[in-house]
Amino acid sequence: MVIVLGPEATQEDTESIVALVAAAGGDAFVSRGVSRTIIGLVGDVAQFGTLNLRGMPGVADVIRVSTPYKLVSRENHPVRSTVTVGGVPIGPDTVTLIAGPCAVETPEQTLEAARMARAAGATLLRGGAFKPRTSPYAFQGLGEAGLRILADVRAETGLPVVTEVVDAHDVELVASYADMLQVGTRNAQNFALLQAVGAVGKPVMLKRGMSATIEEWLMAAEYIAQRGNLDIVLCERGIRTFETATRNTLDISAVPVAQRLSHLPVIVDPSHSGGSRDLVLPLSRAALAVGADGVIVDVHPHPEQALCDGPQALVEDDLRELTDVLTRFPPLLGRTTATLPEPATA
Ligand code: PEP
Ligand code: MN
């Protein structure tokens, strides 16, 4: 943290700031330039948070030079991380496809969607058993029965499972079935939930809050990390803007920005951003081109019958095109397409 003094600041002003910082247990280093004086603070920024430095006489500005998130910050960890989910990597060397139905509806629908996903090159299966719906009258998901279906489909297809948890009380239950826990956009600042998923020891996919700044998103990740879990994948899923032509506005810049600020992998959800099948492929291409570490897409065998988000679900023909993108793009970007781990040999 750096304090910039205004031209009117006196020697007494400087000394009282230094004394205040020292009393809070920090060190203050005064540097005087020709046109301005700055005071560099060294210590834990949290120590200084309660001091009213901006209100001190002579202070023109207070600039934070170290990020407020520590554990997820790239400053503290320049090498980008890879998170492994059921043996499948998500990180800087690979492109990972996560696919499946928005919601688990029936065993048949989930298995069929998983087979489509796997045939398209997906190495992780998505599917919601607990659905965070905007309307209390909409399908809320099958709950634990849905988790059991996901576990059966994993056994059948070999695809590790990513599924959402919406309530801190369900974290242990969901973690007992899932390979990765998803925290959705509506819960992206539910701090009790973030702490609970941080404590349970499973990888977490943290979606960006639909109105969250990138810093708020990373602070949410810090809640998870602070509970001891650094296996976090960030997911940009579109933000709320004035534009209504798309369901959300995919903030494509958020991918390289988040990767610059944090060592965590960053993936994109083109299904929930665009909200429409025809946008999923172009947005997936865009995501890979800016350096996303993977994409998560909705797939459904019969989207017209889907209980949730049918209009954005991909069908067989779209998946062929997506596979083509996932085969051709990664080598151009110096990456490989993530694969499932080799089955253990007896
Ligand atoms: C989902 O992925 O099923 C979902 C509800 O997404 P989001 O939280 O991004 O709306
Ligand atoms: Mn959905």
Side-chain angles (χ1 to χ4, degrees):
M1 196 179 264
V2 165
I3 300 172
V4 181
L5 299 183
E8 76 292 353
T10 63
Q11 179 62 22
E12 289 72 46
D13 294 340
T14 307
E15 281 167 8
S16 41
I17 293 165
V18 171
L20 185 71
V21 171
D27 286 314
F29 296 89
V30 181
S31 341
R32 290 189 176 86
V34 180
S35 57
R36 62 177 199 156
T37 298
I38 62 169
I39 305 177
L41 306 193
V42 178
D44 182 358
V45 175
Q47 287 175 279
F48 310 132
T50 51
L51 305 180
N52 182 16
L53 293 168
R54 270 181 209 283
M56 294 288 286
V59 172
D61 204 359
V62 178
I63 302 169
R64 200 169 47 202
V65 289
S66 73
T67 52
Y69 37 89
K70 309 284 172 203
L71 301 168
V72 306
S73 172
R74 190 133 183 214
E75 268 181 18
N76 299 332
H77 197 296
V79 177
R80 298 192 52 231
S81 296
T82 297
V83 171
T84 304
V85 183
V88 174
I90 307 176
D93 301 328
T94 42
V95 168
T96 307
L97 174 62
I98 307 172
C102 177
V104 174
E105 298 167 11
T106 65
E108 298 73 24
Q109 165 256 6
T110 308
L111 182 58
E112 212 177 323
R115 287 195 168 131
M116 289 164 68
R118 177 143 194 199
T123 46
L124 296 170
L125 172 67
R126 64 146 293 146
F130 292 93
K131 294 304 303 174
R133 303 306 295 279
T134 300
S135 164
Y137 303 111
F139 176 58
Q140 303 288 309
L142 298 179
E144 189 171 2
L147 297 175
R148 280 197 292 269
I149 293 174
L150 285 168
D152 290 346
V153 171
R154 170 178 52 207
E156 187 77 25
T157 61
L159 293 174
V161 164
V162 183
T163 195
E164 181 159 356
V165 57
V166 299
D167 187 319
H169 297 109
D170 294 329
V171 168
E172 300 259 347
L173 173 76
V174 178
S176 71
Y177 289 92
D179 298 284
M180 177 180 234
L181 302 175
Q182 175 174 328
V183 175
T185 195
R186 293 161 188 79
N187 269 314
Q189 284 188 308
N190 178 338
F191 301 117
L193 179 63
L194 295 172
Q195 289 174 330
V197 296
V200 83
K202 282 273 165 98
V204 179
M205 187 218 298
L206 175 63
K207 290 209 165 183
R208 180 180 179 183
M210 63 182 87
S211 300
T213 62
I214 293 171
E215 182 169 303
E216 286 166 341
W217 187 20
L218 297 178
M219 291 302 270
E222 188 80 5
Y223 268 90
I224 300 170
Q226 200 211 28
R227 289 290 160 123
N229 185 356
L230 262 185
D231 286 336
I232 307 164
V233 173
L234 301 168
C235 178
E236 161 61 40
R237 49 78 69 201
I239 53 174
R240 178 155 291 186
T241 68
F242 55 80
E243 183 54 72
T244 55
T246 48
R247 182 175 178 181
N248 293 283
T249 299
L250 176 60
D251 181 6
I252 202 76
S253 327
V255 175
V257 172
Q259 288 175 342
R260 164 155 53 75
L261 296 173
S262 171
H263 58 87
L264 300 177
V266 182
I267 64 169
V268 164
D269 182 339
S271 306
H272 288 82
S273 346
S276 143
R277 182 170 306 124
D278 62 310
L279 294 175
V280 174
L281 209 61
L283 296 182
S284 298
R285 285 196 203 100
L288 298 191
V290 293
D293 302 308
V295 288
I296 175 167
V297 302
D298 285 8
V299 166
H300 200 289
H302 308 288
E304 66 292 348
Q305 294 165 20
L307 297 179
C308 184
D309 289 348
Q312 69 195 30
L314 299 184
V315 293
E316 293 285 1
D317 284 352
D318 314 306
L319 284 170
R320 264 189 290 280
E321 286 188 69
L322 184 63
T323 307
D324 186 46
V325 170
L326 279 158
T327 319
R328 287 192 298 118
F329 268 52
L332 299 174
L333 300 161
R335 294 173 181 252
T336 57
T337 310
T339 51
L340 283 164
E342 296 291 328
T345 45

